[in-house]
Amino acid sequence: MQHQSVHVEEKPYKYKECDKAFITIGQLKRHRKIHTGEKPYKCTECDKAFVTNGELKQHLKIHTGEKPYKCTECDKAFVTNGDLKRHLKIHTGERPYKCTECDKSFITNKDLKRHHIIHTGEKPYKCTECDKAFKTNGLLKQHQKFHTGEKPYKCTECDKAFVINGELKQHQKFHTGEKPYKCTECDKSFITNGALKLHQKIHTGEKPHQCTECDKAFIRKSRLKEHQKFHTGEKPYQCTECDKAFIRKSRLKEHQTIHTGEMPFQCTECDKAFIRKSRLKEHQTIHTGEMPFQCTECDKAFIRESYLLEHQKFHTGWKPYQCTECDKAFISNGGLTKHQKIHTGEKPYKCAECEKAFIRKAHLMLHQKLHTGERPYTCTECDKAFITNGNLQQHQKIHTGERPYKCTECDKAFITNKDLKRHHIVHTGEKPYKCEKAFIRKAHLMLHQKFHTG
């Protein structure tokens, strides 16, 4: 009689708390436990509990590793027959559950219901600890582990642990070196499909996340959120050793290595070590000579993409950052901040070997090479070596005969723009270096001053 009710669709047992009805009283009793929260069947291996004994039996197979239902098309096996049936639809291509809002279809009704929330925008699962809400109960449970600190999925290769098994599986690819997702535009490959999709936006130029405060746009939403903190001034990550604070947690961790002296990223070619892996990669291009970021307007190339983007502003002439003390303007806020130290006289970077101090840390580091005698940039044409790559590139123009900076008043040309500016004073008659006499060049003034000092 019970079986026949399946064919006539008779469901005489209705639950008063919701609109569901059931064929048997046993089904009704099991369903009632969902509302009461009763889970009498407890796993002896872990802390999970279940409404029915059947669910517990299925769950126990996770601990025993038993997967009796095997796919005949591939080598996968499953804990339940239901899981196998769902999997088989991948091979047959069957997707019987179709969305009425768009052209997508799904293998299971559960997948369709989960997808439908995208159209409704509904997030029915709310966190009791914070104001976040989620589309699925599974996402809520994952999120709640951030509050409890629970990370049950541990890596056997290192000491890292993760909230969800999917994160652990992705992490393990770092140890195996597996990168199955390959870009069709370049030779890069990635651990996850999500990382590949983000990378492909570099080729398409797509930056869907636009800042409402300025004209900047970003490939990732997370990068936009970080950027917006520049406008709000928010720096939630505070150093416990000093008064510095940071927008990103990763920047705080890098900063803290200044206090500990830790430099975990060691160059295999020389004895230099770095706080960041990205800085090590940039440094290694000194040894390889690689400059992957090429300007399309001129022949310059750069180690970092950010350097290229800054350089390209020279071609557009755009200098949005204006000094309030003088008429100078700058491409970046960092350039303006450094310039303003000229007006304040601030030189926070002091040399430990002599009494000199500098506005920029980079200038101090260059200066320190005078004390160490380090000249890592060597000319391949002669035996000269230089402190900076820029000085080497200027020097190499002596061998090539290249003089790109041409005077508009006469037919002379120069290796550097600085030399051209110095020469141009000959035409203007300007003598900016003054004592009781005035001189075209600073070097001439310094020679003259020696007559006063004896």
Side-chain angles (χ1 to χ4, degrees), residues 45-71:
E45 298 290 327
C46 66
D47 59 355
K48 287 197 174 182
F50 300 89
V51 172
T52 68
N53 190 37
E55 288 174 339
L56 173 60
K57 283 180 178 178
Q58 282 182 15
H59 166 78
L60 288 169
K61 288 173 184 174
I62 294 168
H63 297 297
T64 62
E66 183 188 357
K67 291 183 177 181
Y69 299 95
K70 300 189 190 304
C71 177

PDB file of all heavy atoms in Angstrom, residues 45-71:
ATOM      1  N   GLU A  45      34.238   8.676  15.506  1.00  0.00           N
ATOM      2  CA  GLU A  45      35.557   9.091  15.010  1.00  0.00           C
ATOM      3  C   GLU A  45      35.744  10.608  15.064  1.00  0.00           C
ATOM      4  O   GLU A  45      36.858  11.098  15.195  1.00  0.00           O
ATOM      5  CB  GLU A  45      35.741   8.626  13.552  1.00  0.00           C
ATOM      6  CG  GLU A  45      35.707   7.115  13.364  1.00  0.00           C
ATOM      7  CD  GLU A  45      36.931   6.436  13.957  1.00  0.00           C
ATOM      8  OE1 GLU A  45      38.024   7.046  13.936  1.00  0.00           O
ATOM      9  OE2 GLU A  45      36.806   5.308  14.449  1.00  0.00           O
ATOM     10  N   CYS A  46      34.639  11.348  14.885  1.00  0.00           N
ATOM     11  CA  CYS A  46      34.713  12.807  14.911  1.00  0.00           C
ATOM     12  C   CYS A  46      33.473  13.346  15.646  1.00  0.00           C
ATOM     13  O   CYS A  46      32.697  12.567  16.202  1.00  0.00           O
ATOM     14  CB  CYS A  46      34.816  13.387  13.493  1.00  0.00           C
ATOM     15  SG  CYS A  46      33.362  13.126  12.469  1.00  0.00           S
ATOM     16  N   ASP A  47      33.274  14.657  15.651  1.00  0.00           N
ATOM     17  CA  ASP A  47      32.197  15.252  16.444  1.00  0.00           C
ATOM     18  C   ASP A  47      30.899  15.441  15.665  1.00  0.00           C
ATOM     19  O   ASP A  47      29.984  16.114  16.127  1.00  0.00           O
ATOM     20  CB  ASP A  47      32.659  16.603  17.017  1.00  0.00           C
ATOM     21  CG  ASP A  47      33.072  17.582  15.918  1.00  0.00           C
ATOM     22  OD1 ASP A  47      33.081  17.171  14.731  1.00  0.00           O
ATOM     23  OD2 ASP A  47      33.388  18.744  16.239  1.00  0.00           O
ATOM     24  N   LYS A  48      30.786  14.843  14.487  1.00  0.00           N
ATOM     25  CA  LYS A  48      29.583  15.018  13.684  1.00  0.00           C
ATOM     26  C   LYS A  48      28.458  14.108  14.174  1.00  0.00           C
ATOM     27  O   LYS A  48      28.702  13.019  14.700  1.00  0.00           O
ATOM     28  CB  LYS A  48      29.882  14.762  12.204  1.00  0.00           C
ATOM     29  CG  LYS A  48      30.685  15.896  11.553  1.00  0.00           C
ATOM     30  CD  LYS A  48      30.614  15.837  10.046  1.00  0.00           C
ATOM     31  CE  LYS A  48      31.307  17.059   9.450  1.00  0.00           C
ATOM     32  NZ  LYS A  48      31.244  17.083   7.999  1.00  0.00           N
ATOM     33  N   ALA A  49      27.205  14.599  13.958  1.00  0.00           N
ATOM     34  CA  ALA A  49      26.016  13.825  14.319  1.00  0.00           C
ATOM     35  C   ALA A  49      24.992  13.943  13.194  1.00  0.00           C
ATOM     36  O   ALA A  49      25.005  14.915  12.426  1.00  0.00           O
ATOM     37  CB  ALA A  49      25.439  14.329  15.625  1.00  0.00           C
ATOM     38  N   PHE A  50      24.057  12.950  13.138  1.00  0.00           N
ATOM     39  CA  PHE A  50      23.149  12.863  12.002  1.00  0.00           C
ATOM     40  C   PHE A  50      21.719  12.570  12.447  1.00  0.00           C
ATOM     41  O   PHE A  50      21.483  11.989  13.515  1.00  0.00           O
ATOM     42  CB  PHE A  50      23.640  11.781  11.037  1.00  0.00           C
ATOM     43  CG  PHE A  50      25.024  12.066  10.521  1.00  0.00           C
ATOM     44  CD1 PHE A  50      26.148  11.611  11.212  1.00  0.00           C
ATOM     45  CD2 PHE A  50      25.213  12.831   9.382  1.00  0.00           C
ATOM     46  CE1 PHE A  50      27.430  11.900  10.760  1.00  0.00           C
ATOM     47  CE2 PHE A  50      26.488  13.128   8.920  1.00  0.00           C
ATOM     48  CZ  PHE A  50      27.593  12.653   9.610  1.00  0.00           C
ATOM     49  N   VAL A  51      20.782  12.933  11.562  1.00  0.00           N
ATOM     50  CA  VAL A  51      19.353  12.721  11.821  1.00  0.00           C
ATOM     51  C   VAL A  51      18.997  11.244  11.737  1.00  0.00           C
ATOM     52  O   VAL A  51      18.237  10.722  12.540  1.00  0.00           O
ATOM     53  CB  VAL A  51      18.505  13.555  10.833  1.00  0.00           C
ATOM     54  CG1 VAL A  51      17.021  13.214  10.947  1.00  0.00           C
ATOM     55  CG2 VAL A  51      18.737  15.052  11.055  1.00  0.00           C
ATOM     56  N   THR A  52      19.571  10.539  10.745  1.00  0.00           N
ATOM     57  CA  THR A  52      19.228   9.121  10.519  1.00  0.00           C
ATOM     58  C   THR A  52      20.457   8.238  10.631  1.00  0.00           C
ATOM     59  O   THR A  52      21.592   8.686  10.422  1.00  0.00           O
ATOM     60  CB  THR A  52      18.602   8.923   9.129  1.00  0.00           C
ATOM     61  OG1 THR A  52      19.610   9.173   8.125  1.00  0.00           O
ATOM     62  CG2 THR A  52      17.408   9.846   8.910  1.00  0.00           C
ATOM     63  N   ASN A  53      20.201   6.963  10.925  1.00  0.00           N
ATOM     64  CA  ASN A  53      21.270   5.974  11.005  1.00  0.00           C
ATOM     65  C   ASN A  53      21.905   5.767   9.629  1.00  0.00           C
ATOM     66  O   ASN A  53      23.118   5.547   9.519  1.00  0.00           O
ATOM     67  CB  ASN A  53      20.713   4.653  11.545  1.00  0.00           C
ATOM     68  CG  ASN A  53      21.818   3.660  11.876  1.00  0.00           C
ATOM     69  OD1 ASN A  53      22.884   4.046  12.351  1.00  0.00           O
ATOM     70  ND2 ASN A  53      21.567   2.391  11.610  1.00  0.00           N
ATOM     71  N   GLY A  54      21.108   5.853   8.562  1.00  0.00           N
ATOM     72  CA  GLY A  54      21.631   5.708   7.197  1.00  0.00           C
ATOM     73  C   GLY A  54      22.657   6.775   6.862  1.00  0.00           C
ATOM     74  O   GLY A  54      23.690   6.482   6.246  1.00  0.00           O
ATOM     75  N   GLU A  55      22.386   8.018   7.281  1.00  0.00           N
ATOM     76  CA  GLU A  55      23.335   9.105   7.041  1.00  0.00           C
ATOM     77  C   GLU A  55      24.636   8.863   7.806  1.00  0.00           C
ATOM     78  O   GLU A  55      25.727   9.133   7.303  1.00  0.00           O
ATOM     79  CB  GLU A  55      22.718  10.439   7.489  1.00  0.00           C
ATOM     80  CG  GLU A  55      21.617  10.949   6.581  1.00  0.00           C
ATOM     81  CD  GLU A  55      20.922  12.184   7.120  1.00  0.00           C
ATOM     82  OE1 GLU A  55      20.993  12.436   8.350  1.00  0.00           O
ATOM     83  OE2 GLU A  55      20.296  12.891   6.322  1.00  0.00           O
ATOM     84  N   LEU A  56      24.519   8.345   9.037  1.00  0.00           N
ATOM     85  CA  LEU A  56      25.715   8.029   9.823  1.00  0.00           C
ATOM     86  C   LEU A  56      26.552   6.957   9.134  1.00  0.00           C
ATOM     87  O   LEU A  56      27.778   7.079   9.036  1.00  0.00           O
ATOM     88  CB  LEU A  56      25.313   7.562  11.229  1.00  0.00           C
ATOM     89  CG  LEU A  56      26.456   7.035  12.110  1.00  0.00           C
ATOM     90  CD1 LEU A  56      27.515   8.115  12.334  1.00  0.00           C
ATOM     91  CD2 LEU A  56      25.925   6.524  13.444  1.00  0.00           C
ATOM     92  N   LYS A  57      25.884   5.901   8.628  1.00  0.00           N
ATOM     93  CA  LYS A  57      26.603   4.808   7.952  1.00  0.00           C
ATOM     94  C   LYS A  57      27.371   5.315   6.729  1.00  0.00           C
ATOM     95  O   LYS A  57      28.502   4.907   6.474  1.00  0.00           O
ATOM     96  CB  LYS A  57      25.619   3.704   7.557  1.00  0.00           C
ATOM     97  CG  LYS A  57      25.207   2.827   8.733  1.00  0.00           C
ATOM     98  CD  LYS A  57      24.237   1.741   8.288  1.00  0.00           C
ATOM     99  CE  LYS A  57      23.859   0.814   9.465  1.00  0.00           C
ATOM    100  NZ  LYS A  57      22.887  -0.215   9.060  1.00  0.00           N
ATOM    101  N   GLN A  58      26.717   6.185   5.978  1.00  0.00           N
ATOM    102  CA  GLN A  58      27.396   6.772   4.812  1.00  0.00           C
ATOM    103  C   GLN A  58      28.596   7.600   5.245  1.00  0.00           C
ATOM    104  O   GLN A  58      29.675   7.524   4.648  1.00  0.00           O
ATOM    105  CB  GLN A  58      26.424   7.649   4.023  1.00  0.00           C
ATOM    106  CG  GLN A  58      25.468   6.865   3.134  1.00  0.00           C
ATOM    107  CD  GLN A  58      24.567   7.779   2.337  1.00  0.00           C
ATOM    108  OE1 GLN A  58      24.802   8.974   2.224  1.00  0.00           O
ATOM    109  NE2 GLN A  58      23.507   7.212   1.777  1.00  0.00           N
ATOM    110  N   HIS A  59      28.409   8.393   6.285  1.00  0.00           N
ATOM    111  CA  HIS A  59      29.492   9.246   6.786  1.00  0.00           C
ATOM    112  C   HIS A  59      30.686   8.416   7.246  1.00  0.00           C
ATOM    113  O   HIS A  59      31.844   8.799   7.007  1.00  0.00           O
ATOM    114  CB  HIS A  59      28.982  10.109   7.940  1.00  0.00           C
ATOM    115  CG  HIS A  59      30.088  10.756   8.725  1.00  0.00           C
ATOM    116  ND1 HIS A  59      30.763  11.867   8.295  1.00  0.00           N
ATOM    117  CD2 HIS A  59      30.640  10.409   9.937  1.00  0.00           C
ATOM    118  CE1 HIS A  59      31.689  12.188   9.177  1.00  0.00           C
ATOM    119  NE2 HIS A  59      31.621  11.324  10.190  1.00  0.00           N
ATOM    120  N   LEU A  60      30.455   7.276   7.916  1.00  0.00           N
ATOM    121  CA  LEU A  60      31.538   6.437   8.437  1.00  0.00           C
ATOM    122  C   LEU A  60      32.480   5.957   7.337  1.00  0.00           C
ATOM    123  O   LEU A  60      33.655   5.685   7.589  1.00  0.00           O
ATOM    124  CB  LEU A  60      30.961   5.238   9.206  1.00  0.00           C
ATOM    125  CG  LEU A  60      30.329   5.564  10.575  1.00  0.00           C
ATOM    126  CD1 LEU A  60      29.562   4.373  11.115  1.00  0.00           C
ATOM    127  CD2 LEU A  60      31.395   6.018  11.574  1.00  0.00           C
ATOM    128  N   LYS A  61      31.977   5.873   6.112  1.00  0.00           N
ATOM    129  CA  LYS A  61      32.817   5.447   4.983  1.00  0.00           C
ATOM    130  C   LYS A  61      33.943   6.452   4.693  1.00  0.00           C
ATOM    131  O   LYS A  61      34.958   6.091   4.098  1.00  0.00           O
ATOM    132  CB  LYS A  61      31.946   5.246   3.741  1.00  0.00           C
ATOM    133  CG  LYS A  61      31.063   3.997   3.840  1.00  0.00           C
ATOM    134  CD  LYS A  61      30.099   3.906   2.675  1.00  0.00           C
ATOM    135  CE  LYS A  61      29.159   2.697   2.835  1.00  0.00           C
ATOM    136  NZ  LYS A  61      28.119   2.655   1.807  1.00  0.00           N
ATOM    137  N   ILE A  62      33.729   7.714   5.102  1.00  0.00           N
ATOM    138  CA  ILE A  62      34.791   8.716   4.946  1.00  0.00           C
ATOM    139  C   ILE A  62      36.001   8.328   5.791  1.00  0.00           C
ATOM    140  O   ILE A  62      37.151   8.440   5.355  1.00  0.00           O
ATOM    141  CB  ILE A  62      34.276  10.122   5.361  1.00  0.00           C
ATOM    142  CG1 ILE A  62      33.190  10.580   4.388  1.00  0.00           C
ATOM    143  CG2 ILE A  62      35.409  11.141   5.440  1.00  0.00           C
ATOM    144  CD1 ILE A  62      32.419  11.800   4.852  1.00  0.00           C
ATOM    145  N   HIS A  63      35.755   7.822   7.019  1.00  0.00           N
ATOM    146  CA  HIS A  63      36.845   7.424   7.918  1.00  0.00           C
ATOM    147  C   HIS A  63      37.481   6.105   7.478  1.00  0.00           C
ATOM    148  O   HIS A  63      38.696   5.909   7.618  1.00  0.00           O
ATOM    149  CB  HIS A  63      36.322   7.307   9.351  1.00  0.00           C
ATOM    150  CG  HIS A  63      35.818   8.593   9.902  1.00  0.00           C
ATOM    151  ND1 HIS A  63      36.606   9.700  10.096  1.00  0.00           N
ATOM    152  CD2 HIS A  63      34.558   8.974  10.300  1.00  0.00           C
ATOM    153  CE1 HIS A  63      35.885  10.695  10.586  1.00  0.00           C
ATOM    154  NE2 HIS A  63      34.637  10.274  10.722  1.00  0.00           N
ATOM    155  N   THR A  64      36.665   5.160   6.956  1.00  0.00           N
ATOM    156  CA  THR A  64      37.215   3.863   6.529  1.00  0.00           C
ATOM    157  C   THR A  64      37.834   3.948   5.137  1.00  0.00           C
ATOM    158  O   THR A  64      38.633   3.093   4.761  1.00  0.00           O
ATOM    159  CB  THR A  64      36.102   2.791   6.504  1.00  0.00           C
ATOM    160  OG1 THR A  64      35.100   3.177   5.542  1.00  0.00           O
ATOM    161  CG2 THR A  64      35.452   2.642   7.872  1.00  0.00           C
ATOM    162  N   GLY A  65      37.465   5.005   4.394  1.00  0.00           N
ATOM    163  CA  GLY A  65      37.967   5.135   3.021  1.00  0.00           C
ATOM    164  C   GLY A  65      37.210   4.261   2.028  1.00  0.00           C
ATOM    165  O   GLY A  65      37.572   4.200   0.849  1.00  0.00           O
ATOM    166  N   GLU A  66      36.162   3.624   2.479  1.00  0.00           N
ATOM    167  CA  GLU A  66      35.389   2.727   1.614  1.00  0.00           C
ATOM    168  C   GLU A  66      34.589   3.522   0.583  1.00  0.00           C
ATOM    169  O   GLU A  66      33.836   4.428   0.923  1.00  0.00           O
ATOM    170  CB  GLU A  66      34.427   1.898   2.484  1.00  0.00           C
ATOM    171  CG  GLU A  66      33.609   0.879   1.699  1.00  0.00           C
ATOM    172  CD  GLU A  66      32.539   0.218   2.558  1.00  0.00           C
ATOM    173  OE1 GLU A  66      32.474   0.510   3.766  1.00  0.00           O
ATOM    174  OE2 GLU A  66      31.753  -0.564   1.988  1.00  0.00           O
ATOM    175  N   LYS A  67      34.767   3.161  -0.686  1.00  0.00           N
ATOM    176  CA  LYS A  67      34.013   3.782  -1.785  1.00  0.00           C
ATOM    177  C   LYS A  67      33.555   2.659  -2.723  1.00  0.00           C
ATOM    178  O   LYS A  67      34.197   2.360  -3.733  1.00  0.00           O
ATOM    179  CB  LYS A  67      34.886   4.788  -2.532  1.00  0.00           C
ATOM    180  CG  LYS A  67      35.216   6.034  -1.705  1.00  0.00           C
ATOM    181  CD  LYS A  67      36.011   7.039  -2.505  1.00  0.00           C
ATOM    182  CE  LYS A  67      36.278   8.297  -1.711  1.00  0.00           C
ATOM    183  NZ  LYS A  67      37.034   9.300  -2.483  1.00  0.00           N
ATOM    184  N   PRO A  68      32.422   2.018  -2.389  1.00  0.00           N
ATOM    185  CA  PRO A  68      32.014   0.811  -3.127  1.00  0.00           C
ATOM    186  C   PRO A  68      31.413   1.071  -4.510  1.00  0.00           C
ATOM    187  O   PRO A  68      31.296   0.146  -5.314  1.00  0.00           O
ATOM    188  CB  PRO A  68      30.966   0.184  -2.201  1.00  0.00           C
ATOM    189  CG  PRO A  68      30.414   1.332  -1.420  1.00  0.00           C
ATOM    190  CD  PRO A  68      31.526   2.313  -1.263  1.00  0.00           C
ATOM    191  N   TYR A  69      31.045   2.333  -4.795  1.00  0.00           N
ATOM    192  CA  TYR A  69      30.359   2.621  -6.060  1.00  0.00           C
ATOM    193  C   TYR A  69      31.360   3.214  -7.065  1.00  0.00           C
ATOM    194  O   TYR A  69      31.771   4.362  -6.941  1.00  0.00           O
ATOM    195  CB  TYR A  69      29.184   3.573  -5.804  1.00  0.00           C
ATOM    196  CG  TYR A  69      28.163   2.977  -4.868  1.00  0.00           C
ATOM    197  CD1 TYR A  69      28.202   3.257  -3.495  1.00  0.00           C
ATOM    198  CD2 TYR A  69      27.187   2.096  -5.333  1.00  0.00           C
ATOM    199  CE1 TYR A  69      27.284   2.696  -2.623  1.00  0.00           C
ATOM    200  CE2 TYR A  69      26.268   1.538  -4.458  1.00  0.00           C
ATOM    201  CZ  TYR A  69      26.324   1.836  -3.114  1.00  0.00           C
ATOM    202  OH  TYR A  69      25.422   1.266  -2.258  1.00  0.00           O
ATOM    203  N   LYS A  70      31.737   2.395  -8.052  1.00  0.00           N
ATOM    204  CA  LYS A  70      32.805   2.757  -8.982  1.00  0.00           C
ATOM    205  C   LYS A  70      32.236   3.136 -10.348  1.00  0.00           C
ATOM    206  O   LYS A  70      31.315   2.512 -10.855  1.00  0.00           O
ATOM    207  CB  LYS A  70      33.787   1.603  -9.142  1.00  0.00           C
ATOM    208  CG  LYS A  70      34.439   1.209  -7.822  1.00  0.00           C
ATOM    209  CD  LYS A  70      35.564   0.226  -8.003  1.00  0.00           C
ATOM    210  CE  LYS A  70      36.038  -0.333  -6.660  1.00  0.00           C
ATOM    211  NZ  LYS A  70      36.437   0.716  -5.714  1.00  0.00           N
ATOM    212  N   CYS A  71      32.843   4.195 -10.941  1.00  0.00           N
ATOM    213  CA  CYS A  71      32.442   4.648 -12.268  1.00  0.00           C
ATOM    214  C   CYS A  71      33.074   3.749 -13.328  1.00  0.00           C
ATOM    215  O   CYS A  71      34.273   3.450 -13.257  1.00  0.00           O
ATOM    216  CB  CYS A  71      32.876   6.103 -12.486  1.00  0.00           C
ATOM    217  SG  CYS A  71      32.505   6.736 -14.128  1.00  0.00           S
TER     218      CYS A  71
END
